[in-house]
Amino acid sequence: MVAIRTENLTKIYKRKYLFSSKKTIALENLNLEIEDRKVFGLLGLNGSGKTTLLKLLVGLLFPTEGSIYIFGQRVPHLSLLSRVGYLPEFPCFLMYLSASELLHFYGKLYSFSLKEREKRVEKTLDLVDLRENRNDRLADFSKGMLERIGMAQVLLHDPELLLLDEPTSGLDPLGVKKMRQTILRLKEEGKTILLSSHFVTEVERVCDQAGILHKGKLKRVIEMRGLEVSLEDLFTETVSEDVV
Amino acid sequence: MKKIFAIGEYTVKENIRHKIFYTILLFAFIIIVSSVLFSMLSGEEETRVILDIGLGAIEIFAFLSAIFAAVGLVLGEMENKSISLILARPVRRFEYIWGRYVGILSISLFNIFLMSSALLILLFIKGWRFDFRFLLAVTFIFLKVIIISALAILISLISTSAISSISATFFLWVLGHIADHLKYLNHVLLEKGVKITILLKTIYYLLPNFQYLNVKDYLGYPAPIAGTTIFWQVAYSLAYASVATWLSVLVFSRKEF
């Protein structure tokens, strides 16, 4: 089964100034298929369109052209969002809430009952090792703890598809390792994961497939199993075709 | 509806955990209490002065509190992108806007209740005889807040910075209180041969007419307020606020984050 399918997906940002306007093509005719229960790594330089694609998938941005299907349903579709977990690159939370309050609030947005929310919040806080800090305000959290609460809000509703935008960016080596373990565990549980990253080695370690986005175009999709050359070399070769 | 109330509830939490909420309340109480000092200068009209200053303070601080909540929280959430973690869930755009609006109105109602209670206590200490129109005056202050909060949300969705949103909302608040003067202005301009009647009429009907809702001005005078007038004033406020909020929904549903 196909988890994500995009057809000729194009996103053009239009910036209007006082006497002029500027168009930036963020994604151009993107045709991508990601199989269910796979981990797909999206590699690309800054500004290659990775974040744009993830935002399009959750409906934070609207396509200029083309269409997106998640689990066979055309996006935007409200009920689909119950099956998707999204972690932005720099997640910003409601800092005046405690960890538990934040997750309860998000739980209410899925219409979970109080009993269901309590169960899920406890379980999720356990998963990210934040049970001890459940009543601490997020404003008092360290960066690493905020990253963990970021992952907690992704896992709260037990989504089938996880969209992780640079999940290891800004983490210390221990944090990177824990994030990798979490992704591998989720993979074992049969989740579909689309993650964007700058780090080729991370993608190499956890992904089944990798796609190289460059200047808004999907240049290459690579099967990780049986890959005989290094992904880093492939990536460098692909993106430098245009750079040089 | 559950999601609207969930967003409303967290708007209230966000507000009451902010220092500015308490600062606004503190200043309101200081002004209400200090009205007793001013009343001493007025001889026999003591309670009248306390009423005027007190109700004026309630209106100004309820307005400030609503503006802070509408502009500070809605625009703030869009600027710091925490909104993306809400909209990436099964939440319709209109649920977000109405949720925020319900939260802002709840906190404003709570503020008005606290400030009015303080004013009533002061008035009773000064031997004031309860006048039912006091409740009407306070209710109409809330009606003004209903309108200005809806407009503040709309403005914060259109503008790019908190300062411009606050300035524009404040500007509308002032214009809304002098909207009736546009009729006079039209009359004066016509006498001088300047014909911009259509433009002035359009502005007049688009602006919120806060003067129409100034029930507190009638307090202390014997003339009763007709029930039909109250009905139309309430209907006008609710209709104006609904249109402004649905316009916000329209703008918001096209926004990208």
Side-chain angles (χ1 to χ4, degrees):
Chain A
M1 188 189 171
V2 176
I4 298 173
R5 183 160 58 89
T6 68
E7 289 177 359
N8 299 320
L9 185 63
T10 300
K11 177 66 191 172
I12 300 171
Y13 292 112
K14 291 168 193 161
R15 300 252 183 273
K16 284 181 186 167
Y17 300 102
L18 197 55
F19 299 110
S20 61
S21 63
K22 190 186 170 192
K23 286 183 179 178
T24 310
I25 301 172
L27 284 178
E28 195 177 352
N29 290 320
L30 184 81
N31 290 299
L32 174 71
E33 268 196 11
I34 299 174
E35 287 293 314
D36 193 17
R37 295 166 177 266
K38 298 272 184 194
V39 181
F40 190 98
L42 209 51
L43 283 168
L45 303 174
N46 288 333
S48 58
K50 305 187 294 292
T51 299
T52 297
L53 176 59
L54 295 184
K55 285 185 172 183
L56 283 163
L57 292 172
V58 283
L60 293 172
L61 294 175
F62 310 123
T64 309
E65 276 172 38
S67 41
I68 303 166
Y69 298 87
I70 294 181
F71 300 122
Q73 280 184 307
R74 187 165 182 173
V75 172
H77 197 289
L78 201 71
S79 66
L80 269 179
L81 292 172
S82 301
R83 302 168 71 185
V84 178
Y86 170 61
L87 178 67
E89 183 177 2
F90 302 109
C92 190
F93 303 104
L94 315 161
M95 302 301 270
Y96 54 89
L97 295 180
S98 69
S100 168
E101 283 174 331
L102 180 86
L103 295 180
H104 269 279
F105 167 58
Y106 290 149
K108 283 180 187 172
L109 300 182
Y110 293 101
S111 305
F112 294 145
S113 66
L114 176 64
K115 201 175 168 186
E116 176 75 9
R117 279 202 316 268
E118 277 172 351
K119 202 172 81 183
R120 283 178 185 263
V121 168
E122 289 306 309
K123 187 183 164 193
T124 315
L125 286 173
D126 267 346
L127 278 173
V128 295
D129 290 332
L130 283 175
R131 182 186 266 267
E132 300 281 302
N133 308 87
R134 64 195 309 282
N135 295 320
D136 295 345
R137 282 205 193 176
L138 299 182
D140 301 325
F141 272 27
S142 68
K143 194 172 186 305
M145 288 160 85
L146 285 174
E147 289 289 343
R148 279 188 275 156
I149 201 74
M151 204 58 198
Q153 61 84 28
V154 173
L155 301 173
L156 178 73
H157 54 295
D158 193 22
E160 294 158 66
L161 171 65
L162 288 91
L163 306 172
L164 313 176
D165 196 359
E166 305 279 359
T168 52
S169 112
L171 292 182
D172 57 32
L174 190 66
V176 172
K177 191 180 174 188
K178 280 192 172 174
M179 181 61 80
R180 190 190 310 135
Q181 285 169 343
T182 307
I183 292 171
L184 289 171
R185 183 177 51 76
L186 291 165
K187 181 181 172 178
E188 273 174 27
E189 286 175 14
K191 308 286 187 198
T192 309
I193 301 172
L194 169 59
L195 63 91
S196 77
S197 185
H198 283 111
F199 303 111
V200 181
T201 45
E202 281 309 314
V203 170
E204 217 162 20
R205 284 181 177 190
V206 297
C207 295
D208 301 305
Q209 276 186 315
I212 299 174
L213 258 185
H214 189 54
K215 294 184 177 175
K217 291 179 180 168
L218 185 65
K219 292 284 185 180
R220 193 176 267 184
V221 175
I222 302 148
E223 246 345 291
M224 302 306 293
R225 182 174 288 199
L227 186 68
E228 286 174 358
V229 288
S230 89
L231 184 61
E232 191 169 17
D233 289 344
L234 275 177
F235 175 69
T236 316
E237 183 191 308
T238 309
V239 297
S240 47
E241 280 168 12
D242 287 346
V243 173
V244 177
Chain B
M1 282 302 269
K2 273 184 183 174
K3 290 174 193 173
I4 291 178
F5 287 123
I7 293 169
E9 187 192 334
Y10 105 85
T11 304
V12 171
K13 267 187 189 167
E14 193 173 10
N15 241 291
I16 56 175
R17 289 183 184 179
H18 227 286
K19 279 179 193 161
I20 199 159
F21 170 77
Y22 298 99
T23 313
I24 287 173
L25 271 184
L26 180 71
F27 272 101
F29 286 127
I30 289 172
I31 296 210
I32 290 169
V33 172
S34 64
S35 67
V36 177
L37 297 175
F38 293 107
S39 72
M40 287 171 182
L41 304 170
S42 61
E44 290 176 4
E45 292 286 319
E46 262 191 289
T47 53
R48 175 77 215 166
V49 173
I50 297 174
L51 258 177
D52 282 347
I53 295 177
L55 287 172
I58 291 173
E59 184 169 324
I60 289 168
F61 287 102
F63 162 71
L64 286 177
S65 154
I67 277 206
F68 157 70
V71 177
L73 306 183
V74 175
L75 193 67
E77 194 160 67
M78 287 193 292
E79 279 177 351
N80 71 23
K81 302 278 182 194
S82 57
I83 197 167
S84 63
L85 287 177
I86 297 174
L87 297 179
R89 294 172 209 282
V91 176
R92 290 181 180 90
R93 300 269 175 128
F94 83 84
E95 289 173 323
Y96 177 81
I97 291 294
W98 278 97
R100 277 298 202 177
Y101 188 47
V102 165
I104 291 163
L105 294 186
S106 307
I107 202 76
S108 298
L109 192 62
F110 179 63
N111 274 344
I112 291 173
F113 171 76
L114 286 182
M115 292 188 284
S116 308
S117 305
L119 180 60
L120 269 179
I121 291 168
L122 260 184
L123 284 166
F124 286 137
I125 291 171
K126 284 287 174 183
W128 180 67
R129 280 182 61 198
F130 183 73
D131 182 346
F132 174 73
R133 285 176 301 179
F134 176 86
L135 293 181
L136 212 57
V138 170
T139 307
F140 273 76
I141 289 175
F142 182 60
L143 286 180
K144 284 185 182 184
V145 169
I146 285 179
I147 293 177
I148 204 68
S149 305
L151 284 172
I153 292 176
L154 178 62
I155 290 167
S156 61
L157 291 173
I158 298 167
S159 65
T160 49
S161 72
I163 291 175
S164 61
S165 294
I166 291 170
S167 313
T169 313
F170 180 73
F171 191 58
L172 277 180
W173 176 261
V174 173
L175 280 180
H177 280 93
I178 56 168
D180 280 340
H181 290 68
L182 288 175
K183 281 183 181 173
Y184 176 68
L185 179 66
N186 183 41
H187 179 70
V188 171
L189 288 174
L190 278 176
E191 275 181 358
K192 291 186 177 177
V194 184
K195 288 181 182 174
I196 50 167
T197 310
I198 295 173
L199 176 71
L200 287 177
K201 271 193 173 175
T202 311
I203 296 172
Y204 175 77
Y205 286 115
L206 282 178
L207 282 175
N209 194 337
F210 290 129
Q211 196 56 39
Y212 182 50
L213 304 174
N214 255 350
V215 171
K216 70 177 192 304
D217 292 351
Y218 302 104
L219 212 65
Y221 297 103
I225 304 163
T228 48
T229 310
I230 294 171
F231 171 80
W232 286 114
Q233 285 167 323
V234 173
Y236 168 78
S237 309
L238 298 181
Y240 196 101
S242 298
V243 171
T245 309
W246 281 111
L247 272 176
S248 294
V249 171
L250 196 70
V251 173
F252 190 64
S253 58
R254 294 174 183 191
K255 269 200 170 289
E256 296 187 315
F257 300 98

